[in-house]
């Protein structure tokens, strides 16, 4: 049998005082004596009283809760961003409610509804791969709830956005591969309807043109960037009459899948095909060869996201507008793309 939840009335009955006196004591009201406050808190502990935050939110207008929606919590990028966000929010007395979309638009919509029903003070989100309709995000704005997007965001939503320069990331990667002597560079991309992947594709194509390298449609393959996608797309690339001499994957898991397939086909990385990933997942430094990858400044993004959502929550005149904070990417160079060094060895 479930234990009955302790209420303020239960504490009041034990101490023979009014429920309103208990409530004021729990909130350290100056008109309540220290003796009464101590007695109330002692009984509250003994009865394992848990305050009703939703009722509190209705009274104060603030729940001190902030919701976050991410694609997947097992990603190092998302988990480290969330850790940084939570650290900043906790300093200001806020707690983080974590939800994940698993890249599903339908689940993302359910998450938004759940967070609105919980009466969160703000929402932080990174869009699911499936999301092309932003009506549910407009619903957040219509409810007057501050919304901050990070990593995957869309200008059309018209709110704060924090992330890295995805276009510049592709330029940096292609420049590095060209410096290593690569001339036929393939790109295992994310789906082009998502802004960050669209920008990475655009940066990749412009960098090829800048270096006067061939643009071959067969070398550009869109996917969900899972390990399985990396394996499938690398298998496609190996069936081409002319193989690429480098592969740039827009996600580290896809890069890992591509590496597995190359190794299964006894292709030497980077001597025959160089490889670059994206996100600097921890495994990139542990596999053989270690994978070159873009570092996205995860902790800095998390800190900025938390500061921005708190700024908007505390702004009584808040009106959502498109406002971007863009960080410069950093390429962490490892053996998977060190073609020149491998030739010297």
């Amino acid at each position: 049998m479930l234990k009955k939840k302790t209420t303020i009335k239960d504490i009041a009955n034990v101490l023979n005082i009014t429920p309103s006196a208990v409530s004021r004591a729990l909130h350290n009201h100056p008109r309540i004596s220290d003796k009464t406050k101590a007695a109330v808190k002692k009984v509250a502990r003994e009865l394992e009283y848990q305050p009703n935050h939703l009722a509190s939110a209705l009274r104060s207008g603030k729940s001190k809760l902030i919701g976050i929606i991410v694609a997947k919590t097992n990603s190092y990028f998302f988990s480290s961003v969330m850790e940084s966000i939570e650290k900043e929010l906790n300093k200001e007395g806020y707690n983080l409610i974590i939800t994940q979309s698993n890249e599903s638009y339908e689940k993302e919509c359910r998450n938004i509804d759940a967070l609105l029903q919980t009466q969160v003070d703000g929402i932080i989100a990174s869009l699911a791969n499936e999301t092309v309709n932003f009506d549910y995000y407009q619903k957040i704005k219509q409810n007057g709830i501050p919304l901050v997007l990070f990593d995957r965001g869309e200008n059309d939503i018209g709110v704060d956005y924090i992330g890295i320069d995805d276009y510049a990331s592709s330029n940096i990667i292609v420049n590095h591969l060209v410096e290593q002597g690569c001339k036929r560079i393939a790109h295992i991309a994310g789906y082009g309807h998502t802004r960050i992947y669209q920008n990475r594709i655009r940066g990749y194509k412009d960098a090829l043109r800048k270096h006067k390298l061939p643009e071959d449609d067969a070398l550009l393959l869109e996917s969900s960037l899972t390990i399985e996608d990396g394996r499938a797309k690398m298998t496609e690339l190996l069936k081409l009459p002319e193989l690429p001499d480098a592969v740039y994957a827009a996600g580290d898991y896809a890069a890992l899948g591509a590496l597995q397939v190359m190794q299964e086909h006894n292709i030497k990385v980077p001597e025959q095909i160089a490889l670059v990933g994206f996100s600097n997942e921890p495994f990139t430094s542990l596999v053989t060869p270690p994978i070159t990858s873009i570092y996205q400044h995860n902790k800095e993004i998390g800190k900025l996201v938390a500061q921005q959502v708190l700024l908007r929550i505390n702004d009584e005149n808040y009106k959502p507008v498109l406002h971007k904070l863009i960080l410069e990417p950093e390429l962490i160079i490892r053996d998977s793309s060190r073609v020149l060094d491998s030739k010297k060895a």
Side-chain angles (χ1 to χ4, degrees):
M1 184 175 171
L2 289 174
K3 182 182 174 184
K4 183 173 172 286
K5 189 176 178 182
T6 300
T7 66
I8 282 177
K9 193 177 284 187
D10 295 327
I11 299 170
N13 288 339
V14 171
L15 295 170
N16 200 25
I17 59 176
T18 65
S20 61
V22 172
S23 178
R24 287 197 291 270
L26 289 170
H27 289 90
N28 288 314
H29 195 284
R31 289 189 179 178
I32 302 295
S33 70
D34 290 342
K35 182 181 177 183
T36 300
K37 286 178 188 174
V40 166
K41 289 173 183 176
K42 180 174 180 289
V43 172
R45 281 194 301 273
E46 289 170 354
L47 297 180
E48 298 179 353
Y49 168 72
Q50 293 293 325
N52 185 331
H53 286 293
L54 284 178
S56 242
L58 287 170
R59 287 192 299 272
S60 69
K62 284 193 176 177
S63 66
K64 304 296 275 188
L65 298 172
I66 291 173
I68 187 167
I69 306 166
V70 296
K72 48 197 175 216
T73 55
N74 64 349
S75 150
Y76 172 70
F77 170 72
F78 285 123
S79 63
S80 56
V81 169
M82 287 190 294
E83 182 182 357
S84 180
I85 289 171
E86 188 171 43
K87 184 178 177 182
E88 290 299 310
L89 294 182
N90 288 169
K91 288 178 189 175
E92 302 300 322
Y94 280 85
N95 286 308
L96 190 65
I97 297 178
I98 297 168
T99 68
Q100 63 177 349
S101 65
N102 288 319
E103 304 291 13
S104 160
Y105 170 68
E106 186 184 337
K107 193 162 190 296
E108 189 172 74
C109 293
R110 291 204 305 271
N111 289 340
I112 290 171
D113 278 336
L115 292 174
L116 290 175
Q117 288 163 12
T118 308
Q119 299 185 31
V120 293
D121 294 334
I123 292 177
I124 298 163
S126 184
L127 305 187
N129 268 339
E130 284 185 8
T131 302
V132 291
N133 182 320
F134 309 130
D135 289 351
Y136 252 75
Y137 283 97
Q138 298 300 335
K139 187 175 179 179
I140 297 171
K141 291 166 65 178
Q142 288 160 8
N143 275 269
I145 305 296
L147 170 63
V148 176
L149 302 177
F150 74 98
D151 186 45
R152 303 182 200 164
E154 291 294 338
N155 294 348
D156 292 346
I157 299 175
V159 293
D160 292 288
Y161 170 80
I162 296 163
I164 64 162
D165 190 330
D166 290 288
Y167 178 87
S169 298
S170 288
N171 263 274
I172 291 167
I173 290 168
V174 173
N175 290 346
H176 165 66
L177 291 169
V178 169
E179 285 168 5
Q180 295 297 309
C182 301
K183 291 182 168 56
R184 187 167 164 77
I185 302 169
H187 183 29
I188 300 175
Y191 288 114
H193 65 253
T194 304
R195 187 191 56 79
I196 62 167
Y197 299 128
Q198 186 182 95
N199 286 342
R200 290 177 200 177
I201 291 168
R202 192 165 54 86
Y204 159 76
K205 287 181 173 180
D206 285 353
L208 291 182
R209 291 185 199 113
K210 181 179 77 174
H211 292 288
K212 296 181 171 55
L213 295 178
E215 285 183 67
D216 184 342
D217 289 343
L219 294 178
L220 176 58
L221 306 169
E222 296 184 16
S223 73
S224 294
L225 298 174
T226 62
I227 291 178
E228 294 74 23
D229 286 323
R231 291 184 61 86
K233 300 307 177 186
M234 193 67 229
T235 300
E236 284 184 46
L237 290 171
L238 293 183
K239 291 176 181 175
L240 295 175
E242 185 182 358
L243 295 182
D245 56 11
V247 173
Y248 154 34
D252 283 334
Y253 285 96
L256 179 60
L259 178 63
Q260 290 173 349
V261 168
M262 285 191 275
Q263 290 176 334
E264 287 163 12
H265 285 78
N266 297 314
I267 291 169
K268 292 180 180 177
V269 179
E271 293 90 336
Q272 292 173 275
I273 301 179
L275 178 65
V276 177
F278 206 109
S279 276
N280 201 38
E281 294 279 342
F283 66 76
T284 54
S285 63
L286 303 174
V287 295
T288 304
I291 300 171
T292 294
S293 190
I294 287 282
Y295 175 53
Q296 296 177 268
H297 304 288
N298 316 355
K299 292 190 183 302
E300 182 66 14
I301 286 176
K303 184 176 181 180
L304 290 170
V305 166
Q307 290 172 347
Q308 200 65 17
V309 78
L310 289 171
L311 181 70
R312 299 311 188 196
I313 288 168
N314 293 319
D315 180 1
E316 291 180 4
N317 301 312
Y318 167 69
K319 288 183 181 176
V321 291
L322 178 63
H323 176 258
K324 291 183 172 184
L325 287 172
I326 305 298
L327 305 181
E328 289 302 312
E330 180 184 351
L331 186 65
I332 309 298
I333 299 171
R334 300 189 178 98
D335 289 351
S336 71
S337 67
R338 287 192 173 114
V339 182
L340 298 179
D341 289 351
S342 70
K343 287 178 179 176
K344 289 175 189 173

